[in-house]
Structure formats: C-alpha cells, structure tokens
Amino acid sequence: MATQAKDTPQDTAPDSVVVRFAGDSGDGMQLTGGQFTLSTALAGNDLATFPDFPAEIRAPQGTLFGVSAFQINFGSREINTAGDAPDVLVAMNPAGLKVNLDALKPGGLIIIDTGEFTKRNLDKAKYDVSPLEDDSLAKWDVLAFDISALTVEAVKPFGLGNKDALRCKNMWTLGLALWMFDRERGPLEDWLKNKFKNKPEIADANIAALNAGHAYGETAELSGPLQKLHIDPVEAEPGLYRTITGAEAISLGLVAGAQLAELPMFFGGYPITPASAILHHLARLKEFGVTTFQAEDEIAAICAAIGASYAGQLGITSSSGPGIALKGEAMGLAIMTELPLVIVNSQRGGPSTGLPTKTEQSDLYQAMYGRNGDAPMPIVSACSPGDAFEVAIEACRIATQYMTPVMLLTDGYIANAAEPWKVPDPDTFEPFPAKFLTEKNGEELLPYKRDSKGARPWIKPGTPDLMHRIGGIEKAVDTGHIDYAPDNHQAMTDARVNKVLNVEVPDQEIAAGEAGGKLVVVGWGSTYGPIRRAVDNSRAKGMDVSHIHVRHIWPLPKNLGDLLNSYDNVLVPEMNTGQFKTVLRDQFLVDAKPLTKTSGQPFSIVEMEEAIDKYFDGIPDNEGGQVEVNDTQLPSSEQ
Amino acid sequence: MNAPAKFETTLKDWETDQEVRWCPGCGDYAILKAVQRTLPQLGADPSNTCFISGIGCSSRFPYYMETYGFHTIHGRAPAVATGVKLANPDLDIWLVTGDGDGLSIGGNHMMHVLRRNVNMQIMLFNNEIYGLTKGQSSPTSREGTKSPSTPIGSFDHPANPCAFALGAGARFVGRGFDVSKNLPDVLKAAHAHQGAAFIEIFQNCIVYNKDVFNDFAAPKGAGDRQLWLENGKPMLFGDPKAGFDKGIALDRDTLTLKVVEATEENWEEAGVLVHDQTDRTIAHLLIEMPFGPFPMALGVLYDDPRPTFETAVIEERAKSAAGKEANLAKLLGKGQTWTVEPSEGHPTD
C-alpha cells in the first residue's frame, strides 16, 4: 500500500507505490506490466503483481468487458500483496478509465491517452459526456495528453504504417513509467532487440517510442503533476534473484521433485484456464526427462499419468476445478492401486464454468471429500508464487515415498502473479530417491505388503518374474488378489486411511506473532499476503493478533490443534464460503470463525484489518462474516 | 514384436492361480484359451507382457493371465495404456475391453488411442449387451433388443465397432469370434502389426444375449456365412471342401460389393476381388457389408502400418532436448536475474 498522500512533500518518498495499467485487451497491457515488473525487480524493489484480463481472447475493441489490466505494488519494504488501491492509473482508453477509476486512491494520479478519447470510444465505454470535459475526475490529478499522436510522431522515421506505429503506444507509456520511477531503460532495450531480432525496424521503432515516453517525462515534470519518484531497493537476503509466476514455480518445482525422486516425469494435461501454463512450461523442458502428453480429455490426462506411474515414472496431472471434478474417479483408482501421482489444482471461481480467469479457494472440499468411498489423499497448498516451488517438491516427495496420489492446491491468482524469487541452490535439496521392488518380497510376491510408512512396493511391469495384477477392485491384504471379504475391506480401508494420516508433515509454525493470545488469523493458500500485511499492521498498532498459515491441509500438522486452542479467538479468512473453517472445527473442535469473500478477487488488506479490528473494538460475539463486495480492487472486466 | 528374443513357454505358463469367475459356458473362456495358446507361439515373455482392461465381464481378463495386469476404470483403459506405453515402450501391451466399455463410456478414448496409433493389441469383446450389470442393451445391440432397460425392444441404432475403428484412423482392423479356430491367427497378425491393432471379437453371452451370433458363427453352414479374408487371396466363400462356390466382387457402377457365383477355378473371370489388406476403401466396404445378403467378413480386414505414437513422442522429446543441458541450477536461475550483495548492496544485473 502506498502511503503517499497528494500533499506529501515530494522529498519524502513513499515506501511503496501501486500502479495499474489498464487498456484494451489488444493494447498490450499484460506485456507492459510484465516488463515494468522486470524493471522493478531489477531496481531491487520487492513487488507483487495482479494481472487481470478478460476470459475472451479478442474481446471487441474499446468495450468495457474487453478491458485488460495489470496491477503492481512495489516498494522499499516487504510487499505481500498487489496492493489495495492504486496510486497511479494509466488509462489507455475510455473503457480502461471507466472500469478502473473507482479503485483509484483519492488524490491519485491518472495518466490518460486523449488520442483514444474519441466519440466512438466514449460511446463504447458508455460515456455520455467525456470525463475529460466534466468534473468527474476532480478528486484525482489528471495528466491527459495525446499519447497516440506522440507515439506516431516518435516512430515516424521508421516508416511504419499507422496501425503498426500505434502498436508502439505501450512502449511509449512504459518509457514514461520508467522515467517516473527512475528506472534504467537498458534491459528493456535488450529485451526488445531480442524479441524483434528478425524485425530490427520494429525493435528500433519500439525503442524510439520508449525513449520518447521517457523524454516526455523530463519535459512534463516542469509544468504538471508528474513527479519523478525514486523507491529505494528493499533490504533482501543476499543471493541471486529473478521474478517468477506461480505457474512457472510449480513447473520448476515438479521438475526438481522428479529429479530428487530420480524419476522421469510424465505430465498428462488437457487445456484449461488457468492451469494450462504449467503444461506449456513443462513442454519446453524435455531435456529433464519430461514427457508431456496433451490428452483427449481431463480423464485421459490423469489416466495416462496413472499408467506412467504404474510403469515406473512420476505421473503428474494438472487442471482447474471443472477438470479436477472429471478426474475424481481416476483419483480413486490411484488411491486403490496405491500408485504415486501429483494432481495440481489451479483453483478458479465458482461451480461449473464459473469464473475461468478469476481466483477462488473453493475446491478445498472437493480435494478433501470429492471422491466416492473413503478415499483419503494428502493435500498441500501453495501460498505465493515462490512458495509454489517448494510445495511442488513436497508433493512429489509425499507421492513417491508413500505411494499415494497427492493434491497440490494453488489458485488463479498465484498462477498468474509474479514476485521476486531468490533462486535456490539445488545442492541444498534433500533427495528422496524412489525405490522399486526387483525381487520377491516373501515366499510369494506380495504387491500389497506394506513398509513401516504403510506404503506398498512399487513394481515396474517388465521386471522379470514379478508378474501380478492390480486394479480398482478391493485388494486382499498383502497379496493384492481380489477380495470382497468384510474383514479384508475393513483392514484395507484402515490401511489406506492410516497411511495418509501418518504422512510425516512438519510442525506448524507461526507466521507472525506467538502462541496464545487474543486472536489468531488462520489462512491457507494465496490469502497469505493480505493476512500477513494486515496482522503486521495490527500488531504495529499494539493488537494481540497472530498469523498462522497452513501448508499441509491433509494431514494437518500434529501440533495445530493445540496451537489453535491456545488463542481466545480463531478467524479463518478464505475466498470461499468457509471450507477450511469447517475442517478445523471438525478436526479440533475449535470455535473457528469464517471471514469469507467470493467476488473472484483476492482479499484487500483493509478488509482483513477491519475484520481484526472488530475483535479489539469490544464487539461481543464477533461471528466473522462475509466481506462486502466493493470496487476498490480490480473489478471484474466482464460486465 | 517388441522383444525380439523368443521366449519358451507353454499355455500353462500363462494361467494364473485365480479362479475364473465368468459364467459357465461364457465365450470369454474360449477367448482366454485362444490368447493363452497364441502367446507361446509368439515367443512372448510373460514378464514383458501387460494386459490392461476397463470394466465389465471382459475386463476381468487380466486376472487370469500370468503377466502384468491392470484392471482400471470403466472406459479408460486406452488412456491408462497410453501412459504405460509412453513410459515403457518396450512393454507388449494387450488391451481388453467390451462393447459398453470401449464404445460407450470409453468411446472417446478408443477413438484417440486409434488415431494416435499407440502400439498395442486392442481386443474388443462384442457381446452386444451389458453383462456385468445384468443385461441392459449396449451400443452394439441390434434394434429391437429386449432388455431390462428396453422392455419392449431397443430403438437406437447400433454402432459397428470395426467401422468406428477404421473411421477413427486405425491402421489394423481384424475380426473374429470366441470359438473360432482362426482367432489365434488374427491375434498373431495383430501382434505383428506395429501400431494400434483393433480386433473385434464376437463373444457369446449365454446369459443375457445367448447365441446372438449363431446365424454366422454356428458350425453348420459356416462356409456360406463366413468370409475369411487372407491377404493376396481371392474373396471366396461357400463350402471350402467343394472348392467354394461364391465370391465377393465390386460393382464398379455403384461402388458397392456384390456376391457372384465363383469357384477356385473361375474366380478371376467372375470378377472376384483379391484381398489387399492395405486397401482402406475395400476394407470399409467389407466392414459395412450387411450380413444376410452377404457373409460376415472375418480375419484381417485391414493392415497398413504407419509410424507409432510412442516413436513420435520419443523423437519429439529428443528433438526438443537436443543441445540442451539438463542443469537444474541453470534452469532455476534462467532469465533476467539480479544479485543482492551481502553488504549494503544495490542490485545489478
């Protein structure tokens, strides 16, 4: 969150700033945001981003539902979220302005391309009167000028047609943004040269636009509201850094996990938003012994992965809610045949198709309970893009060590968001090599004879003389033959449940605060950022509140129950209607209260702080509740 | 096909100690024996052989084979088998499915395993009924089939499994029936074929659809009702001991098949077709030939291999990995990076 108010003297720089780029989905806003993110990272700021784009690929130009936005929060302190309200809004067209205006902080700065404020575009954005001509923008600083014309002028020497020339607009705008925040242009120029290495004239035109935008800043500084702002680098642990999105981190974590298990990886996927990015990343990493298989449907994707695991590889599949639902029966097969498998669920909003490009955490019940029979499965969750890397390795470890499918829960927000990531040293990772049975483990072969962890042996077909049959029908203890006997089913059900319950998970740590006290805010998944910031802020104000963030959803850490019971109040914020809250109540008989939000948007810090405040305002019987839907965050672009 | 070394086994070596649980008299027993008889002749290695099935009576098959076996879930065996084959292309995979498993709930996977051409033998036991769920009509049931779910007779049009397979892009389509002495030959040809080899096996369900194939499978008059295709041989049928008396010819005006009077002596003049197993068009016509006016076409109807899926996947993987180093540290630190120095450091690239 930025702390700079409009009347702040310009010599005291804020410790963080929130900038939102908004325009038509054809304006290259995601690209602009991505490159601005990179320059921010290279400047040493901490950051978090929130790309927000329409579900439609090429929504009609200039319309409200075709608006694409990219928000970044960066600062000289630790950044946990993409920021509640932007300080700066860059609006490339009337629709981009209209959709995003309400989110802007009062006194914030709006940069407008007047070249796009034509009658036609105003009509498409449903403006009767141009906002530039009435006083509707009075509570903000407005810097309106014809970016389109300035861009065309700047790229004139390169002989581009008008359409191509206008496509350089985003680079012009980026140039201006780089000037505003005192950034180097060098890395951007290198990137453009590389991107357009076969079209040098396009690269040159874009660089000229970038430089022109930058130069414009210097000139405009003298007269208008535009001020150069230098944000100092954040104090960070020494080491090598890069930016990473959740989808990239999961892909890399899975590659690392397979390497640590010393197994080739088989990834079965089917295109679905927002999970496809993982398939795309892995498809380019074949040198790591990765096979990617785009199956005919979600069911085939998981079934092929199960087949690969059966044959001795690490089978992995990935999808989002609707696809995960389709995979349910096959998960049961993996549970029954006790084969390793990692299932990544990039959660999105709503039942059925719901909100394909928006985020939610509403598949927790599905992960825990969404299969026929008693079908327990370990569940791990990622709380940030960087964290997703470690969680992916953890999923591979549990799957191969315990011969079980594992569900990895991430969400649309984590998948697309970027953050700086300290590049880990693979030599520090603990390997967990998979073992295969190569000789009979008794007088006769016993495919379901368990080890001390409760895991059965992994036997590759093709191994001489270990022929045996597995399948979804109930198996006899040890031999694995078909067996419907009552005592056998009881024994095998218990064995499957206990194996998962006894998966070794680290004790729960406290993210902020200490054991015991008035209030603990318990989160899982991508609510980490806003909870962490809100708890820190509240503690700074002297409130006795702690933050616990749970990675291992199933089995839960052994000490979690005692820990939760050490607080007077337990508040569980979730982007669903209270699913983890119910699990905690069930497991620990703790009076956990929900704080829920299902608008397709992440929690804001203010929403968290307000919920925490209630516990310290002497309000009796605080029941948590539902966060009111508001417009202070990135609004849905589908209107 | 995959293991060049011939393995010495007998039929007994392929039997498991598991009690076979099909109904007494079920056609599945005959198919099981045919397979167990065929594998020693192929010199197959039980350790390198894997039977993968879906759900249904036929899908219990793997439990009775002393090989590796995976009894999966309803309709999904082709997908599981694809994963197995990609993970270990050296395994010799036999897929066992039925008309409900393979053409109804698993029709989508069947289409894709065939068009991808994953190297395996696919045996579809067609009994034109759901057996294990107690006798409902299936996608291959003939119109008018009375069953618990169609008490006055089914009214949906049946699918033709071989036509489906050919339409999906199968490069091998064979047909046989449970008690036929020729079934092992069809299995051997399927095994020799590199790629997805689809074999429809008519199977008598003695409980729910008894003797539904008797009109062509019964021994009496079989010569008139069965056309066994052999590559390079004329399509003759009738009493073989009498040197046949009929043949299949092409009506070149209507592009349809016709039955003509012909013998081993005069078939050429009579215009009888010579079976070319790589002729996709004629294969279509043979598969669609209506039984009654025509005999049932059996044997290897089509066999024209092309590169397999797993070969393509291996090639793609090699091409994609060529010249790249599998260095995890380098991968993690890829792209634009910056270093934070231990001291009061300002980031640099």
Side-chain angles (χ1 to χ4, degrees):
Chain A
M1 254 189 323
T3 50
Q4 187 199 28
K6 192 183 176 186
D7 53 356
T8 304
Q10 48 177 294
D11 53 345
T12 52
D15 61 5
S16 69
V17 176
V18 179
V19 179
R20 185 184 295 181
F21 298 93
D24 196 70
S25 49
D27 282 341
M29 290 297 95
Q30 300 306 320
L31 195 117
T32 308
Q35 289 306 309
F36 187 76
T37 300
L38 188 63
S39 92
T40 304
L42 293 175
N45 298 138
D46 197 9
L47 67 91
T49 70
F50 185 15
D52 192 58
F53 41 84
E56 293 75 18
I57 300 301
R58 288 267 182 274
Q61 211 180 358
T63 55
L64 293 170
F65 60 88
V67 171
S68 172
F70 186 100
Q71 182 163 313
I72 175 168
N73 182 9
F74 56 97
S76 55
R77 60 153 173 81
E78 187 183 319
I79 298 293
N80 302 111
T81 76
D84 283 8
D87 302 282
V88 180
L89 171 65
V90 180
M92 301 302 285
N93 69 357
L97 178 70
K98 187 166 202 177
V99 168
N100 292 285
L101 193 57
D102 287 338
L104 190 61
K105 193 176 285 182
L109 173 66
I110 311 173
I111 297 172
I112 287 174
D113 177 10
T114 56
E116 288 290 330
F117 277 61
T118 58
K119 170 86 172 66
R120 189 176 148 79
N121 282 347
L122 288 163
D123 285 348
K124 281 193 203 162
K126 307 208 181 338
Y127 273 119
D128 295 331
V129 181
S130 169
L132 302 174
E133 285 159 18
D134 58 18
D135 59 357
S136 60
L137 303 180
K139 57 175 170 169
W140 297 285
D141 279 337
V142 177
L143 187 66
F145 52 98
D146 195 339
I147 295 177
S148 299
L150 288 164
T151 304
V152 171
E153 182 65 27
V155 305
K156 209 176 229 168
F158 303 94
L160 269 52
N162 196 50
K163 202 177 157 199
D164 280 342
L166 280 172
R167 292 183 72 170
C168 299
K169 243 173 12 181
N170 61 339
M171 284 301 125
W172 195 100
T173 313
L174 188 54
L176 179 64
L178 293 186
W179 174 84
M180 280 178 73
F181 299 103
D182 198 16
R183 299 280 171 67
E184 299 293 331
R185 275 166 288 166
L188 251 302
E189 287 174 13
D190 292 346
W191 177 78
L192 283 166
K193 279 180 191 154
N194 186 46
K195 184 175 167 69
F196 296 112
K197 59 178 172 234
N198 298 323
K199 294 177 185 165
E201 72 285 358
I202 301 278
D204 290 344
N206 274 291
I207 291 167
L210 185 78
N211 289 336
H214 195 269
Y216 185 88
E218 305 218 354
T219 321
E221 186 185 19
L222 304 171
S223 52
L226 203 56
Q227 294 162 5
K228 193 169 193 165
L229 203 56
H230 180 85
I231 306 283
D232 282 331
V234 67
E235 272 184 41
E237 232 181 286
L240 183 70
Y241 283 78
R242 61 175 283 191
T243 61
I244 197 156
T245 65
E248 280 175 308
I250 285 183
S251 309
L252 295 180
L254 293 173
V255 169
Q259 300 257 304
L260 294 171
E262 296 174 7
L263 294 171
M265 182 209 295
F266 180 95
F267 184 92
Y270 181 78
I272 184 169
T273 303
S276 301
I278 298 172
L279 170 63
H280 304 167
H281 284 299
L282 290 172
R284 297 174 168 277
L285 298 176
K286 303 275 162 68
E287 67 272 25
F288 289 91
V290 174
T291 300
T292 53
F293 172 60
Q294 183 180 320
E296 58 269 27
D297 62 24
E298 295 283 4
I299 299 170
I302 185 172
C303 285
I306 290 171
S309 281
Y310 170 60
Q313 299 198 345
L314 177 53
I316 298 174
T317 189
S318 149
S319 190
S320 188
I324 296 293
L326 286 168
K327 295 179 196 289
E329 188 195 9
M331 287 181 213
L333 179 68
I335 288 168
M336 204 66 166
T337 52
E338 304 192 37
L339 288 168
L341 180 72
V342 175
I343 304 137
V344 181
N345 182 356
S346 300
Q347 299 166 94
R348 61 192 216 187
S352 185
T353 306
L355 310 175
T357 60
K358 310 297 173 195
T359 196
E360 215 162 85
Q361 298 180 294
S362 44
D363 293 349
L364 182 70
Y365 283 166
Q366 187 188 24
M368 293 270 305
Y369 311 121
R371 291 170 294 280
N372 64 301
D374 281 299
M377 189 192 294
I379 305 166
V380 289
S381 64
C383 74
S384 72
D387 184 57
F389 176 78
E390 285 175 37
V391 172
I393 293 178
E394 178 70 349
C396 297
R397 181 186 72 85
I398 296 173
T400 51
Q401 293 297 297
Y402 292 86
M403 296 294 282
T404 177
V406 176
M407 174 85 73
L408 193 172
L409 290 177
T410 174
D411 63 37
Y413 174 70
I414 293 175
N416 293 321
E419 68 177 13
W421 184 53
K422 184 165 181 279
V423 177
D425 175 4
D427 289 343
T428 63
F429 303 155
E430 190 75 42
F432 41 86
K435 288 189 197 73
F436 293 95
L437 193 71
T438 53
E439 281 170 8
K440 282 188 179 133
N441 54 351
E443 282 286 293
E444 55 171 332
L445 173 67
L446 298 172
Y448 276 76
K449 186 179 172 188
R450 295 173 192 283
D451 65 12
S452 56
K453 299 191 303 293
R456 79 174 188 93
W458 196 354
I459 312 165
K460 281 191 237 188
T463 309
D465 301 325
L466 297 189
M467 291 83 77
H468 67 286
R469 275 63 54 192
I470 60 169
I473 294 186
E474 185 60 284
K475 300 276 160 284
V477 170
D478 291 345
T479 66
H481 295 320
I482 292 179
D483 193 338
Y484 302 133
D487 56 344
N488 181 70
H489 179 53
Q490 183 72 58
M492 287 299 270
T493 301
D494 294 345
R496 287 186 289 265
V497 168
N498 290 329
K499 176 173 86 168
V500 172
L501 275 179
N502 291 329
V503 166
E504 208 175 299
V505 306
D507 269 354
Q508 182 62 48
E509 289 175 5
I510 300 167
E514 55 282 309
K518 182 160 173 120
L519 175 65
V520 63
V521 184
V522 183
W524 68 279
S526 73
T527 52
Y528 178 85
I531 297 178
R532 180 63 202 275
R533 174 60 45 199
V535 167
D536 280 357
N537 291 350
S538 301
R539 288 179 66 81
K541 287 184 246 168
M543 296 177 195
D544 175 15
V545 52
S546 298
H547 175 198
I548 285 176
H549 215 76
V550 182
R551 170 188 279 185
H552 287 270
I553 305 291
W554 198 258
L556 289 160
K558 301 261 182 297
N559 65 332
L560 184 61
D562 288 345
L563 202 50
L564 295 185
N565 279 306
S566 72
Y567 300 94
D568 299 343
N569 296 286
V570 178
L571 181 67
V572 187
E574 286 176 277
M575 296 185 287
N576 59 42
T577 55
Q579 301 186 6
F580 193 48
K581 171 265 309 173
T582 305
V583 172
L584 294 177
R585 285 183 182 180
D586 169 53
Q587 292 299 310
F588 305 122
L589 292 176
V590 62
D591 188 15
K593 295 290 199 294
L595 178 70
T596 67
K597 179 173 185 178
T598 54
S599 61
Q601 304 296 338
F603 279 100
S604 71
I605 297 158
V606 168
E607 287 162 352
M608 291 282 181
E609 287 187 60
E610 282 171 357
I612 292 169
D613 285 349
K614 285 185 186 164
Y615 286 90
F616 298 91
D617 288 347
I619 301 171
D621 302 326
N622 185 2
E623 291 294 328
Q626 193 177 49
V627 168
E628 272 178 49
V629 174
N630 61 61
D631 327 308
T632 60
Q633 293 175 66
L634 282 182
S636 165
S637 44
E638 287 152 294
Q639 307 201 336
Chain B
M1 70 187 138
N2 293 302
K6 291 275 178 187
F7 222 79
E8 292 289 333
T9 59
T10 65
L11 186 149
K12 286 274 166 221
D13 293 322
W14 299 87
E15 290 175 347
T16 60
D17 58 359
Q18 298 297 294
E19 197 183 331
V20 182
R21 298 190 189 196
W22 289 313
C23 308
C26 175
D28 288 349
Y29 285 94
I31 303 173
L32 180 63
K33 279 282 173 261
V35 172
Q36 287 170 337
R37 227 184 349 258
T38 305
L39 287 164
Q41 295 173 27
L42 292 170
D45 172 3
S47 299
N48 197 52
T49 305
C50 189
F51 279 79
I52 301 175
S53 64
I55 293 293
C57 292
S58 60
S59 289
R60 294 297 183 94
F61 203 93
Y63 291 112
Y64 312 133
M65 293 297 300
E66 188 53 42
T67 64
Y68 285 92
F70 199 165
H71 180 214
T72 71
I73 44 178
H74 206 7
R76 320 302 172 195
V80 174
T82 299
V84 174
K85 190 71 183 176
L86 289 180
N88 185 355
D90 291 335
L91 286 175
D92 187 8
I93 295 176
W94 295 78
L95 198 95
V96 189
T97 182
D99 40 312
D101 187 65
L103 289 178
S104 202
I105 194 167
N108 187 32
H109 308 302
M110 185 59 75
M111 171 169 90
H112 291 280
V113 75
L114 292 172
R115 73 152 176 99
R116 288 192 183 105
N117 200 29
V118 189
N119 194 0
M120 65 179 79
Q121 296 74 246
I122 300 168
M123 298 189 288
L124 186 143
F125 298 9
N126 183 8
N127 57 12
E128 300 187 359
I129 208 80
Y130 282 89
L132 205 54
T133 50
K134 302 199 193 303
Q136 299 82 355
S137 65
S138 91
T140 56
S141 295
R142 291 167 214 181
E143 281 173 58
T145 299
K146 287 189 178 167
S147 80
S149 59
T150 52
I152 59 165
S154 64
F155 42 82
D156 49 342
H157 309 301
N160 177 337
C162 289
F164 174 88
L166 203 61
R171 308 297 294 190
F172 181 102
V173 177
R175 223 188 229 161
F177 58 93
D178 44 17
V179 295
S180 166
K181 65 176 176 19
N182 294 338
L183 183 57
D185 291 335
V186 183
L187 298 177
K188 276 183 232 168
H191 191 261
H193 175 90
Q194 298 291 306
F198 181 88
I199 315 138
E200 178 185 18
I201 304 173
F202 296 111
Q203 173 246 323
N204 189 18
C205 173
I206 57 126
V207 175
Y208 296 110
N209 217 12
K210 192 168 189 258
D211 296 339
V212 76
F213 305 114
N214 255 10
D215 41 9
F216 65 84
K220 199 178 167 210
D224 288 329
R225 293 167 191 156
Q226 298 173 10
L227 172 69
W228 283 94
L229 295 155
E230 270 186 86
N231 195 35
K233 299 271 176 68
M235 298 183 192
L236 290 168
F237 64 104
D239 185 359
K241 285 186 194 121
F244 304 107
D245 56 4
K246 293 185 279 294
I248 300 292
L250 182 67
D251 184 328
R252 286 166 207 276
D253 294 331
T254 60
L255 284 180
T256 52
L257 297 179
K258 60 185 180 186
V259 175
V260 293
E261 304 277 327
T263 64
E264 278 177 322
E265 274 72 50
N266 71 354
W267 63 268
E268 251 179 310
E269 302 92 273
V272 170
L273 288 169
V274 172
H275 184 45
D276 172 3
Q277 65 185 18
T278 65
D279 189 329
R280 197 170 181 83
T281 307
I282 298 296
H284 258 296
L285 296 175
L286 288 168
I287 286 167
E288 300 275 10
M289 230 165 39
F291 179 74
F294 290 89
M296 180 61 74
L298 297 160
V300 178
L301 308 180
Y302 180 64
D303 183 357
D304 187 16
R306 69 174 167 192
T308 66
F309 183 59
E310 67 275 12
T311 314
V313 168
I314 291 165
E315 278 170 10
E316 192 269 349
R317 208 163 50 201
K319 208 161 126 189
S320 177
K324 292 189 195 163
E325 187 194 358
N327 183 324
L328 189 58
K330 277 191 187 159
L331 174 69
L332 300 182
K334 215 172 149 188
Q336 282 185 285
T337 58
W338 66 99
T339 304
V340 175
E341 301 297 343
S343 60
E344 223 16 39
H346 195 279
T348 53
D349 190 5

